[in-house]
């Protein structure tokens, strides 16, 4: 059976947009006002038919405690960022991109070679550009003012990431 791709989900700026808009309900959680939408809940359930959903947010395990129940989601796996020790083999980014890419190494470790999509409002443009040529990665930057939109969901469903083909050409030579 083929492995399903992972879908790494951020909360703030993605499921919790900066600007209030119709269809969102305010919730007071952990000293923050969080805006959540019933549309997002429906879209995430729709995406879960294709992807294995994973929290990739600074909320970390609080996402399962506070956000998942409000969206009608089960407990999801969590990528841990707090206290993430850097490793010598971590991808390196220069200047401002180093702050934008702080989630990248933990995401790669969590994926462990499995195809994945990442939806976030903070990711380096260079990383998005480089990932366009990788069939096993789909990076979807989201405008934090408006958060996740239907066109993002449609893009995720239209062409989910798939494993990279690795051919051993010497095995086929006679």
């Amino acid at each position: 059976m083929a492995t399903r791709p992972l879908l790494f989900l951020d909360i703030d700026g993605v499921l919790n947009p900066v600007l209030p808009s119709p269809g969102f309900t305010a919730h007071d959680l952990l000293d923050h006002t969080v805006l959540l939408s019933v549309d997002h809940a429906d879209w995430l359930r729709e995406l879960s038919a294709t992807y294995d959903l994973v929290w990739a947010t600074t909320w970390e395990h609080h996402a399962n405690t506070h956000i998942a129940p409000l969206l009608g989601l089960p407990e999801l796996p969590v990528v841990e960022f707090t206290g993430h020790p850097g490793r010598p083999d971590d991808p390196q980014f220069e200047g401002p991109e180093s702050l934008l890419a702080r989630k990248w190494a933990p995401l790669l470790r969590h994926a462990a070679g499995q195809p994945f999509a990442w939806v976030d409002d903070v990711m380096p443009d260079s990383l998005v550009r480089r990932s366009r040529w990788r069939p096993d990665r789909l990076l979807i930057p989201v405008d934090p003012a408006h958060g996740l939109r239907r066109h993002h969901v449609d893009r995720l469903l239209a062409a989910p990431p798939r494993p990279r083909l690795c051919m051993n050409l010497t095995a086929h030579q006679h």
Side-chain angles (χ1 to χ4, degrees):
M1 183 165 112
T3 301
R4 289 163 36 104
L6 302 173
L7 176 54
F8 293 122
L9 291 166
D10 186 28
I11 292 175
D12 294 324
V14 174
L15 300 178
N16 174 30
V18 174
L19 299 177
S21 60
F24 283 83
T25 303
H27 303 272
D28 291 323
L29 305 171
L30 300 175
D31 298 324
H32 299 286
T33 298
V34 176
L35 302 171
L36 297 174
S37 167
V38 125
D39 287 339
H40 286 167
D42 293 342
W43 297 344
L44 292 176
R45 280 190 290 280
E46 184 179 355
L47 287 163
S48 71
T50 301
Y51 291 89
D52 291 333
L53 306 182
V54 178
W55 292 123
T57 171
T58 55
W59 283 74
E60 293 186 347
H61 294 280
H62 291 293
N64 280 321
T65 306
H66 300 284
I67 303 296
L70 294 171
L71 294 172
L73 294 174
E75 186 170 309
L76 301 176
V78 174
V79 178
E80 294 183 1
F81 301 109
T82 304
H84 168 72
R87 296 183 186 167
D89 62 335
D90 282 350
Q92 299 300 311
F93 295 87
E94 298 296 324
E97 283 202 338
S98 63
L99 293 174
L100 298 176
R102 66 184 178 76
K103 289 183 177 180
W104 189 239
L107 292 177
L108 291 175
R109 280 198 201 110
H110 188 94
Q114 189 171 349
F116 66 88
W118 178 27
V119 179
D120 206 310
D121 63 312
V122 178
M123 60 178 69
D125 290 336
S126 66
L127 190 56
V128 174
R129 283 192 308 274
R130 285 194 311 260
S131 294
R132 284 187 185 133
W133 307 110
R134 299 277 309 251
D136 59 331
R137 297 179 184 167
L138 175 58
L139 277 58
I140 307 284
V142 172
D143 177 351
H146 304 289
L148 185 70
R149 308 295 283 230
R150 182 66 216 189
H151 68 90
H152 299 121
V153 175
D154 292 341
R155 172 65 183 96
L156 288 160
L157 293 172
R162 61 190 188 285
R164 293 177 78 177
L165 296 177
C166 295
M167 293 181 58
N168 182 350
L169 297 178
T170 58
H172 298 291
Q173 293 176 351
H174 298 287

